[in-house]
Amino acid sequence: MLDSNQIGQATTDEDISRHVLRKIDTRLIPLLFVTYMLNFMDKTILSSASVFGLKEDTGLRGQEYSWVSSIFYVGYLLWTYPTTILIARLPIGKYLGANTLFWGAVVALTAACTGFRGLLAARFLLGVAEATITPAFVFVTSTWYTREEMPSRTGIWFSGNSFGGLLASLFAFWIGHVHDSVGPWRWMFIWLGTAIFLWAFVLLRLLPDSISTAEFLTKEERQVANERIVAAGTGQTERTDWRREQVTECLVDPKTWFIFGLEVLTQIPNGGTQNFANIVIKSFGFTSLQSTLVNIPYSILSATIIAGTGHLAGRFHQANCLLIVAAVIPCVIGSALIYSRAQLPSSVQLLGYFLLSSGPSAMPLALSLVQTNYRGVTKKMTMTALLFLGYCAGNIAGPQLFREAEAPLYPTAFRSIVVCYGLVIVLVIGLRCYLKWQNACRDWNEAIVDQGPDHSDTHAHHELTDWQTSGFRYRY
């Protein structure tokens, strides 16, 4: 039994911890949210530019637009693993800020492109610049938040994706009314690139490099923040070395390849629909300007679903895989409707497009699976790199399914999207069963039950992986 002094001390500690968490949220979440919003605006601006003169002004023909879409992810792919190593070794605030300066400059300079080769070069460099953003955010979230808090916080900053889509639609609608010698698509890149470049200085000033150097917390609050992460059993991220044995462990861990496959299959549809969204919407009978407005309710739906599933994943610790299934089922239906569009009225085709809005929520849920189920900085960052290799592979392949010869119906693309999302359901159910089995094996081997004490904090000060940590239980 606790005496009154112990109860009072526990209450005080909880109040202090909540106060520190509020300060962390207030500082970090807006920075991550706005950066991710700009990140998605940049990704979707190519789709908007395609219906406002980019293809005509640069002389793109045949599959060249698809390659301009895909080459972005080649740059992303090649820089993913090097940047995950740098993220773990360099001061994260300074590194992310410097990377954002480069990113903004490349976006703005895209407006100077006059042909296919120039666009390829700009989009490749853009992929290199953006390869750092999401892995860095995964690292920051793992550094500052507990296992219980990660899914909801990831859902919040990832929903910046959809708000970025909403703002990008309004932005494109506004710029689309500009008629001058520069052209609306060039103004899109100039304005957005300038905004990203200026935002980099905000990150350099406000994003902390680590808990121990966070100026917005007092010395006592930094200690509380650090103790929260130690108690969470996710492992510290400061003063760590890159360990080859953890890379090997990650590569032989079966759950690694479940999650990798899940990411590839969810990103093949994303790569196509993200870059061809406005073109597909125009084929429903809308004008170029109207196509930008149609994406507004789509973005609102997507943001709501991302934030909602993130909240549910944080509240119900063993619901993550089921939420992914729930997110992709509407996508199977939506892509099937668009595939059958020749026999359907435009209103039903549009409904099918809106049903695709739940698809983007699968990625933050996959990120949460990585954040909560991997310990050891090297192992976790290796898995993060693999996740984004899968992300790139899917997004490189996706645009190639949209064959110019099949426009505007694109039957091959939407048939493939149905298959991909169907396989996602099979794969994620397999992952859930595997993680449940692993927990049961751990219960048996350690002679402790799931509801028993979690001893993972005993090892939190050491650079141990989830395989090496007794008491560690997987979230699924």
PDB file of all heavy atoms in Angstrom, residues 249-272:
ATOM      1  N   GLU A 249      20.709  -7.875 -37.619  1.00  0.00           N
ATOM      2  CA  GLU A 249      19.507  -8.334 -36.914  1.00  0.00           C
ATOM      3  C   GLU A 249      18.248  -7.817 -37.580  1.00  0.00           C
ATOM      4  O   GLU A 249      17.259  -8.543 -37.733  1.00  0.00           O
ATOM      5  CB  GLU A 249      19.543  -7.879 -35.451  1.00  0.00           C
ATOM      6  CG  GLU A 249      18.341  -8.363 -34.648  1.00  0.00           C
ATOM      7  CD  GLU A 249      18.394  -7.940 -33.192  1.00  0.00           C
ATOM      8  OE1 GLU A 249      19.469  -8.093 -32.573  1.00  0.00           O
ATOM      9  OE2 GLU A 249      17.365  -7.459 -32.672  1.00  0.00           O
ATOM     10  N   CYS A 250      18.279  -6.570 -38.013  1.00  0.00           N
ATOM     11  CA  CYS A 250      17.124  -5.995 -38.691  1.00  0.00           C
ATOM     12  C   CYS A 250      16.811  -6.758 -39.981  1.00  0.00           C
ATOM     13  O   CYS A 250      15.648  -7.039 -40.287  1.00  0.00           O
ATOM     14  CB  CYS A 250      17.377  -4.518 -39.002  1.00  0.00           C
ATOM     15  SG  CYS A 250      16.009  -3.687 -39.818  1.00  0.00           S
ATOM     16  N   LEU A 251      17.866  -7.115 -40.716  1.00  0.00           N
ATOM     17  CA  LEU A 251      17.679  -7.772 -42.017  1.00  0.00           C
ATOM     18  C   LEU A 251      17.170  -9.200 -41.882  1.00  0.00           C
ATOM     19  O   LEU A 251      16.517  -9.713 -42.801  1.00  0.00           O
ATOM     20  CB  LEU A 251      18.991  -7.761 -42.799  1.00  0.00           C
ATOM     21  CG  LEU A 251      19.509  -6.383 -43.233  1.00  0.00           C
ATOM     22  CD1 LEU A 251      20.854  -6.508 -43.931  1.00  0.00           C
ATOM     23  CD2 LEU A 251      18.501  -5.678 -44.141  1.00  0.00           C
ATOM     24  N   VAL A 252      17.438  -9.868 -40.759  1.00  0.00           N
ATOM     25  CA  VAL A 252      16.969 -11.250 -40.587  1.00  0.00           C
ATOM     26  C   VAL A 252      15.686 -11.318 -39.760  1.00  0.00           C
ATOM     27  O   VAL A 252      15.145 -12.410 -39.552  1.00  0.00           O
ATOM     28  CB  VAL A 252      18.061 -12.132 -39.937  1.00  0.00           C
ATOM     29  CG1 VAL A 252      19.299 -12.171 -40.813  1.00  0.00           C
ATOM     30  CG2 VAL A 252      18.407 -11.661 -38.532  1.00  0.00           C
ATOM     31  N   ASP A 253      15.199 -10.173 -39.321  1.00  0.00           N
ATOM     32  CA  ASP A 253      13.962 -10.119 -38.534  1.00  0.00           C
ATOM     33  C   ASP A 253      12.765 -10.241 -39.483  1.00  0.00           C
ATOM     34  O   ASP A 253      12.579  -9.397 -40.366  1.00  0.00           O
ATOM     35  CB  ASP A 253      13.909  -8.792 -37.778  1.00  0.00           C
ATOM     36  CG  ASP A 253      12.809  -8.758 -36.733  1.00  0.00           C
ATOM     37  OD1 ASP A 253      11.815  -9.496 -36.901  1.00  0.00           O
ATOM     38  OD2 ASP A 253      12.936  -7.996 -35.766  1.00  0.00           O
ATOM     39  N   PRO A 254      11.925 -11.287 -39.346  1.00  0.00           N
ATOM     40  CA  PRO A 254      10.793 -11.464 -40.282  1.00  0.00           C
ATOM     41  C   PRO A 254       9.845 -10.275 -40.355  1.00  0.00           C
ATOM     42  O   PRO A 254       9.324  -9.962 -41.437  1.00  0.00           O
ATOM     43  CB  PRO A 254      10.080 -12.712 -39.736  1.00  0.00           C
ATOM     44  CG  PRO A 254      11.157 -13.487 -39.039  1.00  0.00           C
ATOM     45  CD  PRO A 254      12.032 -12.432 -38.415  1.00  0.00           C
ATOM     46  N   LYS A 255       9.622  -9.590 -39.230  1.00  0.00           N
ATOM     47  CA  LYS A 255       8.663  -8.475 -39.271  1.00  0.00           C
ATOM     48  C   LYS A 255       9.159  -7.341 -40.160  1.00  0.00           C
ATOM     49  O   LYS A 255       8.360  -6.567 -40.702  1.00  0.00           O
ATOM     50  CB  LYS A 255       8.357  -7.964 -37.862  1.00  0.00           C
ATOM     51  CG  LYS A 255       9.471  -7.267 -37.116  1.00  0.00           C
ATOM     52  CD  LYS A 255       8.989  -6.773 -35.755  1.00  0.00           C
ATOM     53  CE  LYS A 255      10.096  -6.038 -35.001  1.00  0.00           C
ATOM     54  NZ  LYS A 255      11.129  -6.977 -34.482  1.00  0.00           N
ATOM     55  N   THR A 256      10.479  -7.255 -40.337  1.00  0.00           N
ATOM     56  CA  THR A 256      11.048  -6.258 -41.242  1.00  0.00           C
ATOM     57  C   THR A 256      10.473  -6.412 -42.646  1.00  0.00           C
ATOM     58  O   THR A 256      10.075  -5.428 -43.285  1.00  0.00           O
ATOM     59  CB  THR A 256      12.577  -6.400 -41.292  1.00  0.00           C
ATOM     60  OG1 THR A 256      13.125  -6.033 -40.021  1.00  0.00           O
ATOM     61  CG2 THR A 256      13.183  -5.520 -42.378  1.00  0.00           C
ATOM     62  N   TRP A 257      10.391  -7.633 -43.122  1.00  0.00           N
ATOM     63  CA  TRP A 257       9.977  -7.864 -44.503  1.00  0.00           C
ATOM     64  C   TRP A 257       8.462  -7.833 -44.661  1.00  0.00           C
ATOM     65  O   TRP A 257       7.959  -7.517 -45.747  1.00  0.00           O
ATOM     66  CB  TRP A 257      10.585  -9.167 -45.007  1.00  0.00           C
ATOM     67  CG  TRP A 257      12.076  -9.064 -44.913  1.00  0.00           C
ATOM     68  CD1 TRP A 257      12.904  -9.689 -44.020  1.00  0.00           C
ATOM     69  CD2 TRP A 257      12.919  -8.191 -45.670  1.00  0.00           C
ATOM     70  NE1 TRP A 257      14.202  -9.283 -44.187  1.00  0.00           N
ATOM     71  CE2 TRP A 257      14.246  -8.361 -45.203  1.00  0.00           C
ATOM     72  CE3 TRP A 257      12.679  -7.291 -46.705  1.00  0.00           C
ATOM     73  CZ2 TRP A 257      15.323  -7.663 -45.728  1.00  0.00           C
ATOM     74  CZ3 TRP A 257      13.749  -6.593 -47.241  1.00  0.00           C
ATOM     75  CH2 TRP A 257      15.051  -6.780 -46.760  1.00  0.00           C
ATOM     76  N   PHE A 258       7.731  -8.123 -43.590  1.00  0.00           N
ATOM     77  CA  PHE A 258       6.291  -7.882 -43.616  1.00  0.00           C
ATOM     78  C   PHE A 258       6.019  -6.389 -43.836  1.00  0.00           C
ATOM     79  O   PHE A 258       5.211  -6.002 -44.689  1.00  0.00           O
ATOM     80  CB  PHE A 258       5.646  -8.319 -42.288  1.00  0.00           C
ATOM     81  CG  PHE A 258       5.258  -9.766 -42.215  1.00  0.00           C
ATOM     82  CD1 PHE A 258       5.985 -10.660 -41.450  1.00  0.00           C
ATOM     83  CD2 PHE A 258       4.155 -10.237 -42.910  1.00  0.00           C
ATOM     84  CE1 PHE A 258       5.626 -12.001 -41.373  1.00  0.00           C
ATOM     85  CE2 PHE A 258       3.773 -11.565 -42.842  1.00  0.00           C
ATOM     86  CZ  PHE A 258       4.518 -12.459 -42.073  1.00  0.00           C
ATOM     87  N   ILE A 259       6.706  -5.554 -43.040  1.00  0.00           N
ATOM     88  CA  ILE A 259       6.472  -4.107 -43.118  1.00  0.00           C
ATOM     89  C   ILE A 259       6.991  -3.540 -44.435  1.00  0.00           C
ATOM     90  O   ILE A 259       6.373  -2.659 -45.035  1.00  0.00           O
ATOM     91  CB  ILE A 259       7.123  -3.397 -41.908  1.00  0.00           C
ATOM     92  CG1 ILE A 259       6.456  -3.875 -40.608  1.00  0.00           C
ATOM     93  CG2 ILE A 259       6.995  -1.883 -42.024  1.00  0.00           C
ATOM     94  CD1 ILE A 259       7.124  -3.380 -39.338  1.00  0.00           C
ATOM     95  N   PHE A 260       8.130  -4.050 -44.905  1.00  0.00           N
ATOM     96  CA  PHE A 260       8.671  -3.604 -46.193  1.00  0.00           C
ATOM     97  C   PHE A 260       7.678  -3.903 -47.326  1.00  0.00           C
ATOM     98  O   PHE A 260       7.381  -3.036 -48.159  1.00  0.00           O
ATOM     99  CB  PHE A 260      10.008  -4.306 -46.466  1.00  0.00           C
ATOM    100  CG  PHE A 260      10.620  -3.949 -47.797  1.00  0.00           C
ATOM    101  CD1 PHE A 260      11.353  -2.791 -47.952  1.00  0.00           C
ATOM    102  CD2 PHE A 260      10.454  -4.788 -48.902  1.00  0.00           C
ATOM    103  CE1 PHE A 260      11.918  -2.462 -49.177  1.00  0.00           C
ATOM    104  CE2 PHE A 260      11.012  -4.469 -50.134  1.00  0.00           C
ATOM    105  CZ  PHE A 260      11.749  -3.300 -50.263  1.00  0.00           C
ATOM    106  N   GLY A 261       7.156  -5.124 -47.361  1.00  0.00           N
ATOM    107  CA  GLY A 261       6.185  -5.488 -48.388  1.00  0.00           C
ATOM    108  C   GLY A 261       4.928  -4.655 -48.307  1.00  0.00           C
ATOM    109  O   GLY A 261       4.368  -4.227 -49.331  1.00  0.00           O
ATOM    110  N   LEU A 262       4.478  -4.389 -47.067  1.00  0.00           N
ATOM    111  CA  LEU A 262       3.309  -3.548 -46.844  1.00  0.00           C
ATOM    112  C   LEU A 262       3.520  -2.156 -47.433  1.00  0.00           C
ATOM    113  O   LEU A 262       2.629  -1.595 -48.095  1.00  0.00           O
ATOM    114  CB  LEU A 262       3.042  -3.458 -45.334  1.00  0.00           C
ATOM    115  CG  LEU A 262       2.046  -2.430 -44.831  1.00  0.00           C
ATOM    116  CD1 LEU A 262       0.649  -2.793 -45.265  1.00  0.00           C
ATOM    117  CD2 LEU A 262       2.115  -2.342 -43.305  1.00  0.00           C
ATOM    118  N   GLU A 263       4.714  -1.618 -47.233  1.00  0.00           N
ATOM    119  CA  GLU A 263       5.007  -0.271 -47.729  1.00  0.00           C
ATOM    120  C   GLU A 263       5.049  -0.224 -49.250  1.00  0.00           C
ATOM    121  O   GLU A 263       4.509   0.693 -49.873  1.00  0.00           O
ATOM    122  CB  GLU A 263       6.335   0.225 -47.143  1.00  0.00           C
ATOM    123  CG  GLU A 263       6.638   1.676 -47.423  1.00  0.00           C
ATOM    124  CD  GLU A 263       5.682   2.637 -46.742  1.00  0.00           C
ATOM    125  OE1 GLU A 263       4.904   2.188 -45.868  1.00  0.00           O
ATOM    126  OE2 GLU A 263       5.709   3.832 -47.084  1.00  0.00           O
ATOM    127  N   VAL A 264       5.696  -1.202 -49.877  1.00  0.00           N
ATOM    128  CA  VAL A 264       5.753  -1.230 -51.339  1.00  0.00           C
ATOM    129  C   VAL A 264       4.348  -1.278 -51.936  1.00  0.00           C
ATOM    130  O   VAL A 264       4.007  -0.511 -52.849  1.00  0.00           O
ATOM    131  CB  VAL A 264       6.568  -2.448 -51.835  1.00  0.00           C
ATOM    132  CG1 VAL A 264       6.460  -2.570 -53.355  1.00  0.00           C
ATOM    133  CG2 VAL A 264       8.033  -2.316 -51.436  1.00  0.00           C
ATOM    134  N   LEU A 265       3.506  -2.157 -51.386  1.00  0.00           N
ATOM    135  CA  LEU A 265       2.174  -2.368 -51.954  1.00  0.00           C
ATOM    136  C   LEU A 265       1.240  -1.182 -51.737  1.00  0.00           C
ATOM    137  O   LEU A 265       0.347  -0.932 -52.553  1.00  0.00           O
ATOM    138  CB  LEU A 265       1.557  -3.639 -51.360  1.00  0.00           C
ATOM    139  CG  LEU A 265       2.200  -4.951 -51.814  1.00  0.00           C
ATOM    140  CD1 LEU A 265       1.694  -6.120 -50.982  1.00  0.00           C
ATOM    141  CD2 LEU A 265       1.942  -5.196 -53.291  1.00  0.00           C
ATOM    142  N   THR A 266       1.423  -0.431 -50.656  1.00  0.00           N
ATOM    143  CA  THR A 266       0.570   0.748 -50.450  1.00  0.00           C
ATOM    144  C   THR A 266       1.058   1.948 -51.251  1.00  0.00           C
ATOM    145  O   THR A 266       0.264   2.846 -51.569  1.00  0.00           O
ATOM    146  CB  THR A 266       0.504   1.153 -48.959  1.00  0.00           C
ATOM    147  OG1 THR A 266       1.831   1.350 -48.451  1.00  0.00           O
ATOM    148  CG2 THR A 266      -0.208   0.100 -48.134  1.00  0.00           C
ATOM    149  N   GLN A 267       2.349   1.956 -51.613  1.00  0.00           N
ATOM    150  CA  GLN A 267       2.890   3.112 -52.314  1.00  0.00           C
ATOM    151  C   GLN A 267       2.816   3.017 -53.834  1.00  0.00           C
ATOM    152  O   GLN A 267       2.930   4.025 -54.524  1.00  0.00           O
ATOM    153  CB  GLN A 267       4.338   3.367 -51.874  1.00  0.00           C
ATOM    154  CG  GLN A 267       4.470   3.768 -50.421  1.00  0.00           C
ATOM    155  CD  GLN A 267       3.535   4.912 -50.048  1.00  0.00           C
ATOM    156  OE1 GLN A 267       3.516   5.956 -50.699  1.00  0.00           O
ATOM    157  NE2 GLN A 267       2.740   4.719 -48.994  1.00  0.00           N
ATOM    158  N   ILE A 268       2.631   1.823 -54.378  1.00  0.00           N
ATOM    159  CA  ILE A 268       2.400   1.719 -55.822  1.00  0.00           C
ATOM    160  C   ILE A 268       1.142   2.499 -56.214  1.00  0.00           C
ATOM    161  O   ILE A 268       1.174   3.311 -57.150  1.00  0.00           O
ATOM    162  CB  ILE A 268       2.321   0.241 -56.262  1.00  0.00           C
ATOM    163  CG1 ILE A 268       3.714  -0.404 -56.171  1.00  0.00           C
ATOM    164  CG2 ILE A 268       1.786   0.124 -57.690  1.00  0.00           C
ATOM    165  CD1 ILE A 268       3.727  -1.894 -56.457  1.00  0.00           C
ATOM    166  N   PRO A 269       0.010   2.305 -55.511  1.00  0.00           N
ATOM    167  CA  PRO A 269      -1.164   3.145 -55.821  1.00  0.00           C
ATOM    168  C   PRO A 269      -0.913   4.623 -55.562  1.00  0.00           C
ATOM    169  O   PRO A 269      -1.341   5.479 -56.340  1.00  0.00           O
ATOM    170  CB  PRO A 269      -2.243   2.599 -54.872  1.00  0.00           C
ATOM    171  CG  PRO A 269      -1.813   1.210 -54.553  1.00  0.00           C
ATOM    172  CD  PRO A 269      -0.317   1.255 -54.528  1.00  0.00           C
ATOM    173  N   ASN A 270      -0.206   4.931 -54.472  1.00  0.00           N
ATOM    174  CA  ASN A 270       0.044   6.325 -54.121  1.00  0.00           C
ATOM    175  C   ASN A 270       0.850   7.040 -55.201  1.00  0.00           C
ATOM    176  O   ASN A 270       0.549   8.173 -55.578  1.00  0.00           O
ATOM    177  CB  ASN A 270       0.789   6.400 -52.790  1.00  0.00           C
ATOM    178  CG  ASN A 270       1.107   7.827 -52.376  1.00  0.00           C
ATOM    179  OD1 ASN A 270       0.248   8.570 -51.950  1.00  0.00           O
ATOM    180  ND2 ASN A 270       2.364   8.218 -52.509  1.00  0.00           N
ATOM    181  N   GLY A 271       1.882   6.361 -55.712  1.00  0.00           N
ATOM    182  CA  GLY A 271       2.736   6.987 -56.714  1.00  0.00           C
ATOM    183  C   GLY A 271       1.986   7.378 -57.965  1.00  0.00           C
ATOM    184  O   GLY A 271       2.280   8.403 -58.587  1.00  0.00           O
ATOM    185  N   GLY A 272       1.015   6.557 -58.346  1.00  0.00           N
ATOM    186  CA  GLY A 272       0.249   6.874 -59.535  1.00  0.00           C
ATOM    187  C   GLY A 272      -0.820   7.919 -59.306  1.00  0.00           C
ATOM    188  O   GLY A 272      -0.883   8.930 -60.013  1.00  0.00           O
TER     189      GLY A 272
END
